[in-house]
Amino acid sequence: MSVASIPHSSSGATTKPAALLEQFIAKSPYRAMLEPIAADVERVALHNNQIQAALATLASQPGFRPGGWLRRPGADERAVRAFLEFVAFASPAFLSSVGEWPMGQIRG
Amino acid sequence: MVGTGAGGGVLAYELAKAGLNVVSLEQGGRLPADHFRTTDRPGAATDFGVRAGTVWPSDPHDSLFVHELFAGADTGSAVQRPGGFRQYQIHAVDGLQSLWNGVSVRFSPGDLAGWPFGYDELAGHYAAVERRITVCGTAENIPELPDGDYIPPKPLRPSDRMIVDAVRRLGEQDAYAIPNRKAINTRAGMETSCISTGICTSGCPVGSVYKFSARLLPEIANLPNYELRTHAKVVRLLRDGDERRVEAVEYIDTRTGETRRLRAGLVVLAAGAIETPRILFNSADERDPAGLANRSGQLGLRLQDNPKAVLSTSLWKLWGKRRNYDIGYGDLLILMARTGLPDGEAFPFIGHAIHGIPDAPHYLGGLAPFPAPVKRELARLMFHSYVTLGLFCAGDPNPANRVRPGRQLDRFGVPQVEIDFTVSARTRDMMQAMAVWGRRVLRKASATSIYETSDNSGTGIHYAGTTPLSADPAQGVINADLRSHDIDNLYICDGGVIPTLPDKHLTLTIMALSHRLGRHIAARSGRDQLQAA
């Protein structure tokens, strides 16, 4: 199922993948690093085959909401969490904290 | 000329400069000159390092193999089977050199045992290519790794010095850790000067790593006797009444789907050790039903790739260190050593110590047990401490590992080849022995947890052996001049011609062979032998 084909219900029965991703970010322990770059995170997520499919699957589950980070998640939820963690550690906020932002091209 | 990679690029340059009429046929298109500077930048600079095919969880050692430029199953030369040999191809001008790491080492005299000519024959061509493509390195006087013509490398970093010291403390006479030899322009102040991205295998933003389109193509692109024809997928070679001559090359224009023919006085296949046999198998006709240039029955046999062991760790002595050094091109060291198999037989291997900027955080798998706040602090503490060793040994010239004709068609309706490939117990022992050696080095350099993988399923991307050189027409596909034993105006110049793949990277040798072939063809042309043949 493509992202575009996921129906959105104002009753909250199902959620658009992009909106679902926002919920994941809001629940993430890395939200401070992710929220400033949320638009880029969404774009990259929906470009990635696995994460796009995972979000579509989760969004099609009526009433699904990202759980707390102590709950044991399923495979799709684990993939989305791992993706967000990856992006967080590749974010300007994290790379700044280790002295590697801005990257630019020259690292000499 | 079919192909514009390591072999085809150098040869096109040599022949065009010699005044011959040359057409390069390339299956793919030409990437914009700024592709790796704007569209697809190295590391995490574009999209946090996340690609369409990136998956979670993943093996960090596989991250290099997720790239949009690699051909898909519907366009590749070979049928891809789950768990089978993994062929990596790039259908674009420069071929695999679009993402080339640039390692440029010479084979030793011993590596050429069984070839129809010796090292002395190739030495001058190695030197000419090194000067033409610009190789950085240092003279070390190691008999197994002949010195070349080098410009200075980038300075070693703290992690490099720790590995050099660890290798020295092994106390092994045959173990070396020396500056890497790479086709990189380390000279300052030039348009193609290395800008220190810390990684070359994601594509070089400035063309500092040699590739045909960045260095040699601009010098011949406007010559009246040279033409680069892109989106030209070669299907087969055609003969006329003379069974020892190719008359034309048949190709598909991949943009229009039209089939076209290009008449040629001489054809050179430089399409790689899997695509070249595919073209020859698909050129089978009534006179040669087993494939063109295959009367010996050797075509496609002994497919080889370098078995490898890869080990990654964090060196605790580098914890908490900020970077105050030039990251350079990532892998600044060559490692060489010998180690033994359980039966006592010793074998050589070569490899690299890699230290880059882990802005794309493939290290996270190693931090999985820790909760987020701890993970964040550990990641900061360890950020500049990661080192990876990639170690390679000689290929396995097993005739059962082979490329053979297949029935499955690619997207363009052209038969793909099948690959039969198994990894022998001896090869597994060799990979294990290299890993043991690598762990000893890393431990002496203050390694913490070591993440280790080994593989011989095509991820070395050093494909060889399928159209071998041999003076004996019964044992090889081409002779000492790289000319087919069966077809007088057909030459081959890619990894397939190397009969037995040594531990060392093959690319510089392919380019030296191309340089040598260029001189041979130019001389032959000069003598008007083309018309007489």
Side-chain angles (χ1 to χ4, degrees):
Chain A
M1 181 179 294
S2 71
V3 174
S5 67
I6 301 293
H8 174 70
S9 165
S10 58
S11 68
T14 57
T15 311
K16 282 184 178 176
L20 184 57
L21 188 65
E22 281 182 29
Q23 295 173 23
F24 268 104
I25 291 173
K27 290 272 190 179
S28 169
Y30 307 110
R31 57 185 169 276
M33 291 190 277
L34 294 170
E35 282 173 346
I37 54 173
D40 282 335
V41 176
E42 178 188 331
R43 178 179 54 77
V44 173
L46 299 182
H47 179 66
N48 176 269
N49 302 330
Q50 182 192 21
I51 301 306
Q52 180 192 32
L55 287 169
T57 300
L58 294 171
S60 69
Q61 296 172 5
F64 176 82
R65 289 289 179 271
W69 285 71
L70 295 176
R71 181 172 64 78
R72 185 174 180 79
D76 286 328
E77 197 171 349
R78 284 202 303 275
V80 176
R81 290 184 183 191
F83 160 75
L84 290 177
E85 182 176 71
F86 188 97
V87 171
F89 283 92
S91 68
F94 179 77
L95 294 177
S96 295
S97 75
V98 292
E100 296 289 358
W101 186 267
M103 283 185 280
Q105 289 183 334
I106 298 177
R107 291 167 162 180
Chain B
M1 187 98 60
V2 181
T4 57
V10 168
L11 188 53
Y13 177 86
E14 290 297 326
L15 296 182
K17 282 287 193 181
L20 277 73
N21 292 320
V22 178
V23 179
S24 291
L25 298 175
E26 168 54 53
Q27 174 167 350
R30 186 174 177 181
L31 295 172
D34 64 350
H35 180 78
F36 296 113
R37 195 164 57 242
T38 56
T39 307
D40 191 351
R41 293 173 292 167
T46 298
D47 293 346
F48 311 105
V50 176
R51 297 180 176 278
T54 305
V55 295
W56 291 270
S58 66
D59 183 335
H61 291 165
D62 274 350
S63 61
L64 295 179
F65 306 108
V66 179
H67 201 289
E68 282 78 358
L69 287 183
F70 287 127
D74 62 338
T75 58
S77 303
V79 178
Q80 299 284 313
R81 307 276 184 205
F85 192 85
R86 298 153 71 184
Q87 183 202 6
Y88 291 90
Q89 279 177 291
I90 294 176
H91 295 151
V93 174
D94 304 319
L96 282 167
Q97 289 198 313
S98 302
L99 301 178
W100 187 35
N101 193 32
V103 176
S104 300
V105 293
R106 298 185 179 196
F107 286 3
S108 70
D111 294 329
L112 302 184
W115 289 40
F117 50 84
Y119 178 80
D120 289 345
E121 166 71 19
L122 213 48
H125 300 288
Y126 273 130
V129 170
E130 286 158 349
R131 288 192 294 270
R132 184 147 293 154
I133 68 174
T134 313
V135 178
C136 66
T138 51
E140 300 288 343
N141 199 27
I142 300 170
E144 295 79 15
L145 192 70
D147 292 330
D149 197 327
Y150 303 129
I151 62 172
K154 292 233 173 179
L156 300 185
R157 297 92 33 106
S159 64
D160 300 319
R161 291 192 285 274
M162 291 169 70
I163 296 296
V164 169
D165 185 58
V167 171
R168 182 184 56 77
R169 285 192 288 128
L170 290 178
E172 296 177 1
Q173 187 180 353
D174 296 321
Y176 302 94
I178 63 170
N180 205 348
R181 296 170 176 179
K182 296 186 63 165
I184 292 178
N185 181 13
T186 54
R187 296 167 298 190
M190 301 167 69
E191 199 174 327
T192 58
S193 299
C194 176
I195 58 168
S196 296
T197 65
I199 184 169
C200 301
T201 51
S202 296
C204 182
V206 295
S208 183
V209 182
Y210 167 82
K211 58 182 177 181
F212 177 53
S213 67
R215 304 278 194 86
L216 301 184
L217 178 58
E219 290 190 42
I220 60 172
N222 295 323
L223 293 179
N225 60 316
Y226 180 72
E227 179 187 351
L228 170 61
R229 206 170 286 188
T230 60
H231 301 93
K233 177 185 177 56
V234 172
V235 177
R236 58 179 177 156
L237 310 182
L238 301 167
R239 286 181 290 184
D240 56 12
D242 185 345
E243 71 171 25
R244 291 191 64 87
R245 284 186 62 85
V246 170
E247 180 196 23
V249 176
E250 183 177 281
Y251 67 93
I252 296 172
D253 184 324
T254 58
R255 291 168 297 193
T256 65
E258 290 178 90
T259 297
R260 295 184 175 176
R261 288 183 181 181
L262 176 65
R263 292 177 60 87
L266 186 152
V267 174
V268 182
L269 295 179
I274 298 174
E275 177 66 12
T276 287
R278 179 200 195 191
I279 293 169
L280 293 171
F281 282 130
N282 288 342
S283 302
D285 57 20
E286 289 179 353
R287 287 173 288 187
D288 283 300
L292 208 60
N294 192 27
R295 288 177 200 158
S296 65
Q298 297 294 315
L299 179 63
L301 306 185
R302 299 179 187 82
L303 172 64
Q304 295 154 71
D305 188 21
N306 289 118
K308 66 179 184 180
V310 184
L311 304 94
S312 299
T313 194
S314 162
L315 303 179
W316 66 260
K317 286 185 178 177
L318 293 175
W319 285 12
K321 305 286 189 193
R322 285 298 184 105
R323 187 169 66 84
N324 57 0
Y325 49 86
D326 181 350
I327 198 67
Y329 32 83
D331 52 342
L332 269 72
L333 288 180
I334 285 179
L335 307 180
M336 279 185 77
R338 296 178 69 85
T339 191
L341 292 169
D343 64 6
E345 182 187 347
F347 68 92
F349 60 93
I350 193 169
H352 313 283
I354 305 155
H355 169 71
I357 297 174
D359 49 356
H362 298 289
Y363 56 78
L364 284 170
L367 299 178
F370 300 101
V374 177
K375 196 178 292 187
R376 196 160 36 216
E377 293 312 308
L378 283 175
R380 285 188 182 125
L381 185 70
M382 299 162 69
F383 193 81
H384 292 105
S385 71
Y386 298 106
V387 170
T388 292
L389 306 186
L391 307 172
F392 301 86
C393 61
D396 177 12
N398 175 3
N401 287 345
R402 61 174 184 155
V403 176
R404 59 179 171 82
R407 293 181 177 174
Q408 188 164 308
L409 305 181
D410 68 12
R411 181 199 296 176
F412 305 102
V414 180
Q416 295 176 307
V417 287
E418 296 278 357
I419 294 178
D420 300 329
F421 199 91
T422 57
V423 181
S424 70
R426 184 173 184 277
T427 294
R428 292 186 195 283
D429 286 344
M430 292 168 81
M431 292 191 288
Q432 176 61 26
M434 289 192 294
V436 168
W437 187 90
R439 283 198 295 269
R440 290 172 57 217
V441 171
L442 289 177
R443 294 231 161 85
K444 283 187 179 296
S446 80
T448 50
S449 173
I450 296 174
Y451 179 73
E452 176 187 321
T453 57
S454 59
D455 190 61
N456 187 210
S457 70
T459 56
I461 320 186
H462 298 155
Y463 310 138
T466 53
T467 53
L469 270 167
S470 177
D472 181 354
Q475 298 300 316
V477 170
I478 56 169
N479 66 17
D481 292 330
L482 308 192
R483 187 171 68 180
S484 162
H485 284 295
D486 303 344
I487 308 293
D488 293 332
N489 65 339
L490 172 63
Y491 291 84
I492 300 175
C493 193
D494 54 36
V497 308
I498 294 169
T500 304
L501 182 64
D503 52 335
K504 301 176 193 76
H505 312 66
L506 78 177
T507 311
L508 186 71
T509 298
I510 295 171
M511 298 165 93
L513 288 169
S514 291
H515 187 268
R516 178 174 173 272
L517 176 57
R519 298 300 163 98
H520 166 77
I521 291 174
R524 181 180 166 180
S525 172
R527 294 192 303 267
D528 268 339
Q529 289 187 354
L530 281 176
Q531 288 82 350

